[in-house]
Amino acid sequence: MIELTIDGKLIQAEKGSTILQIAKANNIKIPHLCWDRRLKPYGGCRLCLVEVEGQRKLLAACSTPAENGMVIKTDTPVLRKARKTVLELLLVHHPLDCPICDKAGECDLQDLAYQYGPSEGRFYAERKHDPEATSPLIERNPNRCILCGRCVRVCWEHQGVGAINLIGRGFNTKISPAFEETLDCEFCGQCVDACPVGALGTKPYKYRARAWFLESTDTICPYCSVGCTLTLDLREGKILRVRGMDGVGVNEGDLCGKGRFGFDFIYSEGRLTKPLLRKNGEFQEVDWEEALYYIAERLRDIKETHGPEKIGAIGSARTTLEDDIMLARFFREVLGSDNIDSSARLGYAWALKGMEDTLGIKSNPVSLNSPIGKEVVLVLESDITSTHPIFGLKFLEAMHEGTEVIVVDPRKTKLARRGNRWLRNRPGTITPFLYGITHLAMKEGVHLKKDITAEGLDELEDGLREYTPGKVSELTGIDEDLFREVALRFINAESRLLTLTLGAAENQKGLETIHAAANLLMLLGEGPEALQIPSDYSNTYGAWLAGLRPLSGGKDLYGMLYTPGSLKALYVMGEDPLVTMPDAGTIEENLKDLELLIVQDIRLSETGKLAHVVLPASSWAEKEGSFINSQGIRQMLPKVVSTTGDSIADWKIFRNIARVMGHDLGTVEFSQLKEEAGKIVPEEGTRKWRFIPPEWEGLARTTEEYPILMVTGNIMQHSGSLSVMSKSLSHVLSDAFVQISPEDAGRFRIGDGEFIEITSPKGTVYIKARVSDEIPEGMLFVPLHFAHARVNLLTEVSRDGKALLTPVRIGPRKGNGGSPAG
Amino acid sequence: MDKFLLRGIEEEGSAAIASYREKGGYAALEKALSMKPEEIIEEVKRSGLRGRGGAGFPTGMKWDFASRDPKFPKYLICNADEGEPGTFKDRPILEKNPHLLIEGMIISGHALKAEYGYIYLRGEYPGAKVVLEQAIEEAYKEGLLGDDILGKGIKFHLSVHQGAGAYICGEETALIDSIEGRRGQPRIKPPFPVNVGAWGMPTIVNNVETLSNLPLIVSIGGEKYAGIGNPECPGPKIYSVSCCVKKPGVYELPMGTTLREIIYTHAGGIRDDRPLKAVIPGGISTPVLTPDQIDCKMDFVNLPKVGSMLGSGAVMVFDDTVCLVRVCWRALRFFEHESCGKCVPCREGTGWLRNILERIENGFGRKGDIELLQDVAHSMAGKTFCPLGDGAANVVLSFIRQFHDEFEHHIEKKECMA
């Protein structure tokens, strides 16, 4: 601790802090334009100059470390003069187009100019007249730029992208993508929030409102499970933009493109406004009464004729906890059926099971800051910066602070590019990779030194004997010496972390992978904190805890969707199995056999098109509720906008059907539900450790007929099938594509942008090719967000949480000789 | 005094290693390699050598900081980004006596336990690049560079990195950024390069002339070296003299030679024997002096006493035909062009100073412009990120201070006094 005086106030502070940091912590305001909490000090704007006793020169508070005994003054005539001159110089060429600038009213330069008084206008000059630069979502007005460099630095230092830089020198410096091309980046929009003036703005918000007319409300992002706080800015009841507020929420102000731009899915033209009832094979809009009576009658019939075990429900990972509770109650209390499940079954459920089997825990909340301060972090076949962008940023932050981030992935993901090391393994070989490290750890005798014992240790040792570095190298395709070096680095680190995602489309990782990871960590004496597996979507974890899973022997998702004849009636809430789940062909057949398919959603989904009844649900922001994020934190969502058409909240629909069916669920109001949801807490478990011996099935087999492995997954700009409803996100990317390695493209004579034919034993689809070195030879990567691509027709379902690698064959689309197809 | 730095450069083929050896070259290296690194640093401290790049920082002290840092590898960078108007003192070493620099760098590398050296060469010195690369090749061939120098088990590799034409890259942290492949912009100090420099490692950046003094210090010893010139900042010094003198050129003289001696004895006096009007003693960024100040000794100690600085020792002499408003405007055009743009006062300030000077020079000056120039310059001096902005402000302030009437005349009469 050091002691110093700022403006006559005696302050104690941590050694190593800068003067500005200490001033901020003590509520002493020093003006600044180029400083950003997340970035290294830059010292460019020279507004934060302060006087330090005994120093001849004025010092920049942002970049001067505070020292014991310093006597600092932050507001003196000399400083005011210096700051005023800086502002005067900036305003000489800054266009005073505040009346048409979207930043007006919340512009740092405007506020500072106001604070320091008008300049005398002693300089006269031509202002800059550079044309505005536009891109799908972000607009740049170079004339307003004050060259503080925050956008450049947030993009590179914080976001790890580096899409823009300062080009040119001195007065002629400008900020631009390389070669002044159109901005083509992640479109996270972090630069827009970082810009202190109106040089950067978002296209959807341009000329939409004056800042002072906006009303702001905080809510939780509907996309991934990080659960970022979004600040919604509304005018006349409509959300116009989303911002991250410095220090607010688990994200502390950071946002990804989905969070920032994806909110407009609620204004999508495809929103359902009325219930649809199939009459003579065609959908007809009906009122709620007709729809509810129809449903009540049909459900009653089927229950009486076939029994409740023939009725099932698939819930959603994105509806609120309160919606999920009511779905579960309706099924269990009114219909008497335990056939309830959600998409968690295809991934996260197996992560939970795996951790219970080994670590003896029933839940393992993620900690966003877990990578920071660790010596080594292993990221396993997981594109975290795409699936959980804000969690992904923490890996970059950890790296800046000295953590070694090692990525094992066949795909050249952002973390693979930015991390300290990247090992390109053969797809689907993470499990033997983990076995190999565990084998080495045992040989090193780490567990003996730490006195680790638990059930199954001997069997584990026996089973791992064959996974020598040589063998692992053979299986994974990673160089043996490199593997050994990385393995020993991980084993011998002081602190470590292992992270992976396990979603419905997350490469070939499943129960056995979780077992293998837990085995390794237990052997090294690490607890569950060293294993970070985030749940998929905003409320995947909440749905699980709310009981959207069989609790007393009911059918699970496999039993309902993939087993012919297992159900007569299916209720699907907020999920589109035909798009997001593997082996869509089988699902489609089974759905078509149903006597009753009820789909409740915010739009007419692909699954909805097969339904007998479609019910319009209110979306995120149109209803109150809560999500449980991957940290296990329940966060409340207010109702922000009015509902669309006749849609109502999911939970209310269940209450109403129950009423129509003459079943009293009690007078259900939101306040009661909220209270009930508040009682949900993650289960603990015994915490008794157990080692599980190796159970890996071997490499995914390609054959002569199907020589290439297809992997499905999520990409940066989209998340499941929800984000494709967003107009903004679709501006960036709206068409399906398949990534193919340059080697395979050459081998199969496929050009960039051409349609290719992909065939698996299950069927054939046609998708546009993108030739990319992000993908190794022998692999295809297909995002599964786009319904029109029907990728899941090709895939198969596994019953242990794996997204199987699909052996396929490819070729140019027939009939057009491989030329770009219309 | 015998010339040391520029010895024999008039001779044809002076850059060749054979010619250098004839003059006793590389004898100091052999001596240095038999010394312990600490002993060399001790000799440098004893010699009182101060950095010749402009700031005059004691070289021994800088080396001491760097050698105390436990991190390795350490890098040695020779700052050959000589780019300030009027400065061409390093050029004859680079082009005519490259082995002196190379020998100095090998000795320094040994003293600092740095195994890699770079010569950051000004982009506009393409000729020097050819010469240096040739010389480095020769040195490698003769076992003077490499993994095992002269069989003494000492490793030192050297290469030339050519700049792309930015004055700011002469600032050591911007230079390091440039070597790392980034946009050349000064970094925040502390940490200083001696602790956190190129690629985050301890890095010693020394000027060409500084490093070229090493063979002399090693061969005659620090104590004897300290007897050359002004004892407070001893050694030989290269002064580059330009503008209105009869014999512009480079002159190696003992540190502390008076400005009068340099101009009138060595450079042959003023062109056409006209009266002297002004002298810039150390490169364009150092404050201008008037004729009554030329008895000042040209060193790091005495020039500050008359309100200027030694800088690079680039003497620019102006006679009564020169318009000093024009010189000042021309200087600011340089600073505006070379400002990196990182900090506001320098980026915007240099442009505005130039703008106002331009209108005065062109006969459109307004009443109050002098005060305005001073006000802007005061708002820059000491408030910019790096010394480039200070330099620009000081030029304006010193010209106005010393030649106020010329500026006034320009504004009032719309014409030049000269």
Side-chain angles (χ1 to χ4, degrees):
Chain A
M1 288 297 257
I2 54 168
E3 211 173 58
L4 66 160
T5 312
I6 305 182
D7 293 343
K9 195 170 146 190
L10 198 65
I11 291 168
Q12 290 196 326
E14 288 288 329
K15 202 172 159 42
S17 317
T18 62
I19 296 173
L20 186 62
Q21 282 169 332
I22 295 169
K24 280 205 171 274
N26 288 280
N27 226 359
I28 295 165
K29 291 206 167 48
I30 300 176
H32 54 76
L33 283 170
C34 70
W35 182 85
D36 188 304
R37 178 180 55 82
R38 301 165 292 183
L39 307 174
K40 281 185 250 162
Y42 186 66
C45 73
R46 312 314 281 174
L47 277 169
C48 70
L49 293 176
V50 292
E51 281 184 45
V52 178
E53 235 169 60
Q55 292 284 338
R56 196 170 47 86
K57 286 174 79 169
L58 304 176
L59 299 179
C62 69
S63 48
T64 308
E67 279 163 35
N68 201 25
M70 267 186 173
V71 179
I72 297 159
K73 287 191 188 120
T74 70
D75 195 17
T76 64
V78 173
L79 293 172
R80 291 188 70 83
K81 170 86 172 77
R83 289 172 189 156
K84 201 171 162 175
T85 312
V86 165
L87 293 167
E88 185 181 3
L89 286 165
L90 283 174
L91 289 170
V92 169
H93 78 270
H94 183 88
L96 299 176
D97 61 349
C98 309
I100 54 147
C101 177
D102 284 317
K103 195 77 175 187
E106 52 187 19
C107 169
D108 289 352
L109 183 60
Q110 208 180 38
D111 293 348
L112 284 168
Y114 185 81
Q115 187 188 341
Y116 283 88
S119 77
E120 296 154 39
R122 295 179 294 174
F123 305 132
Y124 306 93
E126 183 97 351
R127 299 193 194 284
K128 287 188 184 175
H129 293 290
D130 287 340
E132 286 184 37
T134 178
S135 74
L137 291 173
I138 294 167
E139 299 226 341
R140 292 181 297 124
N141 185 323
N143 304 321
R144 293 180 189 143
C145 178
I146 56 165
L147 297 172
C148 67
R150 267 163 82 173
C151 53
V152 171
R153 290 175 293 129
V154 88
C155 186
W156 173 245
E157 272 179 46
H158 190 64
Q159 205 66 27
V161 176
I164 45 174
N165 207 338
L166 297 152
I167 313 284
R169 194 166 70 198
F171 189 80
N172 296 318
T173 308
K174 56 170 115 180
I175 286 165
S176 164
F179 311 113
E180 302 194 27
E181 288 185 350
T182 305
L183 186 65
D184 182 15
C185 64
E186 284 183 4
F187 294 104
C188 64
Q190 295 269 63
C191 54
V192 178
D193 274 357
C195 183
V197 295
L200 285 166
T202 68
K203 203 169 189 172
Y205 177 66
K206 195 180 188 188
Y207 301 145
R208 293 295 294 279
R210 306 309 292 164
W212 50 89
F213 288 131
L214 295 171
E215 286 170 68
S216 297
T217 314
D218 286 356
T219 191
I220 305 302
C221 178
Y223 286 101
C224 81
S225 67
V226 172
C228 297
T229 297
L230 310 178
T231 298
L232 309 179
D233 287 334
L234 291 89
R235 186 167 183 209
E236 290 167 6
K238 190 161 182 194
I239 306 171
L240 294 185
R241 67 167 173 185
V242 165
R243 288 181 299 157
M245 284 292 169
D246 187 26
V248 176
V250 295
N251 48 319
E252 297 182 314
D254 285 325
L255 288 182
C256 74
K258 285 167 280 201
R260 189 183 312 272
F261 298 109
F263 67 89
D264 61 347
F265 74 90
I266 65 169
Y267 300 123
S268 147
E269 284 167 15
R271 283 296 301 277
L272 288 167
T273 54
K274 275 188 164 298
L276 302 175
L277 190 58
R278 195 177 288 278
K279 291 181 178 173
N280 305 321
E282 297 285 317
F283 278 133
Q284 277 184 18
E285 285 191 355
V286 295
D287 58 24
W288 273 104
E289 193 179 341
E290 188 177 346
L292 292 186
Y293 275 94
Y294 174 82
I295 290 169
E297 193 188 314
R298 295 290 295 124
L299 282 175
R300 206 180 286 126
D301 270 3
I302 291 168
K303 186 181 169 187
E304 276 167 22
T305 328
H306 304 287
E309 68 276 9
K310 287 288 183 186
I311 306 174
I314 303 291
S316 168
R318 285 200 167 113
T319 45
T320 64
L321 196 55
E322 291 74 9
D323 295 330
D324 298 344
I325 289 172
M326 280 301 281
L327 167 65
R329 283 189 64 188
F330 173 72
F331 260 72
R332 297 209 166 94
E333 294 173 33
V334 180
L335 299 176
S337 168
D338 188 43
N339 303 333
I340 308 171
D341 213 347
S342 75
S343 64
R345 182 65 53 201
L346 295 167
Y348 193 59
W350 296 99
L352 291 170
K353 177 167 177 1
M355 290 188 281
E356 191 181 356
D357 291 347
T358 48
L359 292 154
I361 47 170
K362 281 178 183 277
S363 70
N364 189 13
V366 161
S367 160
L368 288 189
N369 285 323
S370 55
I372 293 164
K374 296 287 185 298
E375 193 179 325
V376 181
V377 170
L378 257 185
V379 182
L380 304 174
E381 272 192 49
S382 300
D383 189 7
I384 297 194
T385 47
S386 291
T387 55
H388 301 81
I390 304 306
F391 187 34
L393 291 182
K394 300 292 181 183
F395 291 85
L396 295 172
E397 195 179 326
M399 220 175 76
H400 292 318
E401 290 180 20
T403 300
E404 183 170 354
V405 175
I406 303 171
V407 178
V408 188
D409 206 315
R411 292 169 62 202
K412 197 200 267 178
T413 59
K414 182 160 117 184
L415 281 181
R417 287 196 303 268
R418 291 280 170 265
N420 303 78
R421 280 188 219 224
W422 170 42
L423 311 185
R424 182 171 245 179
N425 64 325
R426 198 168 279 148
T429 56
I430 277 306
T431 311
F433 178 82
L434 288 166
Y435 290 160
I437 305 181
T438 318
H439 171 96
L440 276 178
M442 282 192 144
K443 260 180 89 177
E444 294 277 303
V446 185
H447 56 303
L448 302 176
K449 278 176 232 157
K450 295 198 174 166
D451 212 9
I452 307 282
T453 49
E455 197 189 325
L457 188 59
D458 296 340
E459 290 88 334
L460 180 68
E461 190 160 9
D462 281 348
L464 287 178
R465 205 149 283 161
E466 58 172 307
Y467 289 95
T468 58
K471 168 90 174 181
V472 171
S473 166
E474 196 187 309
L475 292 168
T476 59
I478 297 168
D479 175 73
E480 187 180 331
D481 291 338
L482 188 60
F483 166 75
R484 196 188 292 269
E485 193 189 325
V486 165
L488 290 176
R489 180 89 185 87
F490 188 72
I491 292 165
N492 296 322
E494 284 286 317
S495 57
R496 57 181 81 76
L497 189 77
L498 207 152
T499 191
L500 59 135
T501 55
L502 200 66
E506 299 287 344
N507 241 355
Q508 182 142 334
K509 299 186 297 292
L511 184 62
E512 67 200 18
T513 319
I514 306 297
H515 287 161
N519 282 341
L520 170 60
L521 292 172
M522 290 188 298
L523 200 73
L524 299 173
E526 293 278 3
E529 316 73 52
L531 183 57
Q532 297 278 312
I533 307 175
S535 51
D536 300 359
Y537 299 130
S538 49
N539 199 36
T540 298
Y541 193 36
W544 179 262
L545 293 175
L548 294 195
R549 55 180 156 142
L551 293 175
S552 49
K555 296 188 177 83
D556 63 10
L557 186 128
Y558 306 121
M560 291 188 274
L561 291 181
Y562 296 99
T563 314
S566 67
L567 295 178
K568 292 291 174 194
L570 179 66
Y571 201 122
V572 179
M573 172 179 78
E575 183 59 77
D576 197 0
L578 276 186
V579 176
T580 60
M581 295 183 190
D583 193 6
T586 303
I587 299 179
E588 188 170 349
E589 275 171 39
N590 291 338
L591 294 182
K592 280 179 175 163
D593 283 347
L594 292 169
E595 283 181 21
L596 176 66
L597 174 60
I598 305 162
V599 173
Q600 178 171 310
D601 211 320
I602 61 170
R603 45 82 206 244
L604 187 57
S605 63
E606 292 303 302
T607 308
K609 287 173 187 163
L610 298 179
H612 300 92
V613 201
V614 179
L615 301 176
S618 305
S619 77
W620 165 88
E622 293 176 348
K623 60 186 176 187
E624 265 187 282
S626 58
F627 290 151
I628 297 186
N629 68 7
S630 59
Q631 297 189 75
I633 303 169
R634 177 172 174 238
Q635 305 193 94
M636 299 304 299
L637 293 92
K639 176 172 160 41
V640 183
V641 296
S642 52
T643 51
T644 302
D646 287 350
S647 69
I648 57 174
D650 294 85
W651 66 268
K652 277 188 189 163
I653 298 176
F654 295 113
R655 179 191 66 186
N656 295 354
I657 305 175
R659 279 180 186 162
V660 173
M661 290 180 81
H663 211 290
D664 189 15
L665 284 173
T667 9
V668 182
E669 288 305 329
F670 186 75
S671 55
Q672 294 165 277
L673 266 179
K674 192 175 161 184
E675 201 179 310
E676 198 179 331
K679 288 179 194 151
I680 293 179
V681 281
E683 295 166 86
E684 274 286 318
T686 59
R687 298 197 162 256
K688 193 166 175 283
W689 284 7
R690 195 161 75 94
F691 289 102
I692 308 271
E695 59 212 305
W696 191 55
E697 292 160 2
L699 287 171
R701 290 280 164 224
T702 51
T703 59
E704 219 165 278
E705 198 185 353
Y706 301 107
I708 289 194
L709 291 173
M710 183 182 83
V711 175
T712 55
N714 280 295
I715 53 169
M716 185 80 70
Q717 285 79 17
H718 285 290
S719 175
S721 60
L722 180 65
S723 57
V724 291
M725 293 175 70
S726 158
K727 204 170 163 183
S728 295
L729 294 176
S730 298
H731 271 308
V732 180
L733 193 65
S734 60
D735 199 4
F737 64 89
V738 48
Q739 280 184 314
I740 179 170
S741 68
E743 295 84 5
D744 288 329
R747 187 169 145 213
F748 295 97
R749 297 174 178 220
I750 291 159
D752 195 44
E754 289 176 5
F755 270 89
I756 63 174
E757 184 180 287
I758 309 177
T759 307
S760 85
K762 292 262 176 193
T764 298
V765 299
Y766 302 93
I767 311 181
K768 241 181 219 173
R770 270 197 196 174
V771 180
S772 163
D773 68 350
E774 285 179 17
I775 304 297
E777 192 176 355
M779 176 177 166
L780 298 179
F781 177 78
V782 194
L784 49 60
H785 316 282
F786 308 100
H788 62 274
R790 298 176 67 78
V791 185
N792 269 326
L793 278 180
L794 306 183
T795 51
E796 287 189 65
V797 70
S798 78
R799 306 243 166 161
D800 62 358
K802 266 184 228 152
L804 291 174
L805 305 170
T806 315
V808 294
R809 68 163 183 263
I810 57 169
R813 184 177 182 168
K814 288 194 190 91
N816 58 27
S819 64
Chain B
M1 189 195 88
D2 281 345
K3 280 199 284 185
F4 174 74
L5 300 168
L6 304 180
R7 189 191 300 162
I9 61 161
E10 312 79 10
E11 293 157 25
E12 193 71 21
S14 65
I17 192 160
S19 154
Y20 183 64
R21 279 199 190 277
E22 269 171 38
K23 292 176 278 179
Y26 287 113
L29 176 65
E30 289 194 34
K31 184 176 174 193
L33 293 185
S34 63
M35 291 166 77
K36 288 200 192 107
E38 305 77 50
E39 289 171 0
I40 303 175
I41 295 177
E42 214 38 59
E43 280 308 316
V44 173
K45 280 193 191 163
R46 212 169 289 147
S47 75
L49 176 65
R50 287 173 67 166
R52 301 290 196 250
F57 193 81
T59 307
M61 205 192 285
K62 193 188 243 184
W63 284 18
D64 211 24
F65 292 146
S67 64
R68 274 186 208 171
D69 196 299
K71 292 195 295 290
F72 280 94
K74 290 184 167 64
Y75 298 104
L76 174 67
I77 297 175
C78 168
N79 186 347
D81 193 45
E82 180 176 61
E84 190 160 307
T87 307
F88 43 89
K89 68 179 181 69
D90 295 337
R91 189 171 178 175
I93 298 179
L94 296 167
E95 291 183 356
K96 305 285 183 188
N97 205 4
H99 283 286
L100 178 69
L101 172 63
I102 294 170
E103 185 179 7
M105 285 192 77
I106 305 168
I107 295 171
S108 310
H110 173 47
L112 295 158
K113 296 182 189 156
E115 295 181 338
Y116 298 93
Y118 298 91
I119 298 172
Y120 187 91
L121 182 67
R122 181 182 182 203
E124 295 89 336
Y125 278 178
K129 183 165 192 260
V130 176
V131 176
L132 281 170
E133 285 183 341
Q134 170 84 33
I136 289 173
E137 206 186 307
E138 287 173 338
Y140 267 107
K141 270 194 196 139
E142 301 207 1
L144 298 162
L145 286 169
D147 290 333
D148 183 13
I149 297 170
L150 298 177
K152 297 276 171 63
I154 289 159
K155 176 178 169 186
F156 189 71
H157 288 275
L158 185 60
S159 59
V160 179
H161 182 109
Q162 198 167 18
Y167 172 60
I168 190 64
C169 291
E171 197 281 338
E172 58 179 359
T173 57
L175 185 157
I176 289 169
D177 260 14
S178 173
I179 277 208
E180 285 182 12
R182 298 166 200 272
R183 169 191 171 80
Q185 274 193 340
R187 296 179 181 178
I188 286 170
K189 294 191 267 192
F192 291 93
V194 285
N195 301 118
V196 182
W199 300 283
M201 289 298 154
T203 302
I204 305 91
V205 185
N206 280 137
N207 176 259
V208 174
E209 195 185 340
T210 315
L211 292 167
S212 299
N213 270 290
L214 258 293
L216 179 61
I217 292 171
V218 168
S219 55
I220 67 172
E223 215 157 305
K224 197 163 173 213
Y225 179 94
I228 304 171
N230 184 345
E232 285 176 274
C233 45
K237 172 81 191 101
I238 304 177
Y239 298 102
S240 56
V241 187
S242 61
C243 302
C244 314
V245 288
K246 286 180 183 157
K247 291 197 294 177
V250 282
Y251 298 95
E252 181 184 340
L253 299 167
M255 183 72 96
T257 309
T258 64
L259 202 43
R260 183 181 296 280
E261 185 187 330
I262 293 171
I263 297 170
Y264 288 99
T265 311
H266 301 286
I270 309 297
R271 178 177 70 176
D272 303 334
D273 294 318
R274 298 193 72 91
L276 174 68
K277 183 159 155 193
V279 188
I280 297 176
I284 200 80
S285 63
T286 56
V288 62
L289 298 177
T290 48
D292 57 316
Q293 293 173 307
I294 63 168
D295 285 314
C296 180
K297 287 181 175 169
M298 285 282 286
D299 57 42
F300 292 116
V301 181
N302 287 300
L303 274 167
K305 290 180 186 164
V306 294
S308 190
M309 288 181 292
L310 177 61
S312 59
V315 181
M316 299 165 88
V317 182
F318 304 112
D319 65 20
D320 63 344
T321 63
V322 177
C323 169
L324 291 179
V325 176
R326 190 173 174 80
V327 172
C328 189
W329 162 69
R330 190 60 192 77
L332 263 293
R333 234 177 69 180
F334 168 77
F335 286 112
E336 182 195 16
H337 184 253
E338 296 299 342
S339 169
C340 77
K342 178 168 179 163
C343 75
V344 181
C346 178
R347 179 182 77 226
E348 310 285 336
T350 49
W352 284 107
L353 290 176
R354 190 270 303 153
N355 203 315
I356 299 164
L357 286 163
E358 192 165 292
R359 73 180 179 218
I360 297 175
E361 168 65 15
N362 291 341
F364 299 103
R366 300 167 194 171
K367 206 166 176 301
D369 270 356
I370 295 176
E371 292 70 28
L372 186 52
L373 282 171
Q374 285 173 318
D375 191 65
V376 176
H378 276 302
S379 304
M380 289 166 65
K383 298 173 184 74
T384 55
F385 188 92
C386 80
L388 193 149
D390 283 342
N394 283 331
V395 168
V396 173
L397 291 173
S398 75
F399 268 81
I400 294 178
R401 189 173 63 237
Q402 304 274 37
F403 302 97
H404 200 275
D405 49 341
E406 258 197 65
F407 282 80
E408 265 177 23
H409 186 92
H410 246 286
I411 292 169
E412 277 167 24
K413 302 276 185 334
K414 315 281 181 210
E415 61 172 31
C416 198
M417 264 170 97

